[in-house]
């Protein structure tokens, strides 16, 4: 169950990167729906961490912090990787879409 949630968090982070790389008008038009879905997913995830995940016998309750930090690493690295890719591609082509991808990746990386 937990590994499925980690895979889901990767998919959501990738979707967020695509959404953030869109132009401003399209992001503003869909911001309420994306925000509501994000809050619902966050509430579900935190509920599963607090109530569903078992308490480890040796480390106890402290071990649950891994359910927060490990999934947060994945979108962080993905965001900064896309920032590097978008930055290099923008410097080579000067296309605005690559700069938007780099900006979106940086925003996601900093948040996580």
């Amino acid at each position: 169950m937990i590994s499925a949630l980690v895979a889901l968090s990767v998919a959501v982070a990738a979707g967020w990167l695509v959404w953030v790389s869109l132009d401003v008008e399209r992001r503003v038009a869909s911001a309420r729906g994306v925000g509501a879905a994000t809050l619902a997913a966050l509430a579900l995830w935190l509920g599963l961490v607090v109530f569903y995940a078992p308490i480890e016998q040796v480390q106890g309750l402290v071990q649950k912090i891994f359910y927060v930090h490990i999934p947060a690493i994945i979108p962080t690295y993905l965001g900064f990787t896309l920032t590097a890719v978008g930055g290099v591609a923008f410097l080579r082509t000067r296309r605005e879409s690559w700069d938007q991808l780099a900006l979106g990746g940086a925003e996601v990386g900093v948040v996580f």
Side-chain angles (χ1 to χ4, degrees):
M1 175 75 170
I2 299 299
S3 62
L5 290 175
V6 170
L8 180 64
S9 71
V10 171
V12 168
W16 187 17
L17 286 169
V18 170
W19 180 75
V20 170
S21 68
L22 295 176
D23 60 345
V24 175
E25 291 83 17
R26 289 175 61 189
R27 275 191 287 174
V28 169
S30 63
R32 279 187 195 235
V34 171
T38 301
L39 287 176
L42 181 63
L44 174 67
W45 171 63
L46 288 176
L48 287 172
V49 168
V50 172
F51 299 112
Y52 179 77
I55 296 175
E56 208 266 331
Q57 292 180 356
V58 176
Q59 294 179 349
L61 194 59
V62 176
Q63 183 266 345
K64 287 190 176 193
I65 197 70
F66 290 113
Y67 296 127
V68 176
H69 285 109
I70 301 303
I73 288 171
I74 297 166
T76 302
Y77 286 166
L78 183 61
F80 286 131
T81 300
L82 288 178
T83 300
V85 168
V88 168
F90 174 74
L91 290 174
R92 293 191 66 157
T93 64
R94 298 289 183 197
R95 287 185 28 211
E96 186 69 26
S97 60
W98 288 112
D99 194 37
Q100 289 290 329
L101 178 68
L103 176 65
E107 289 175 357
V108 170
V110 168
V111 166
F112 283 97

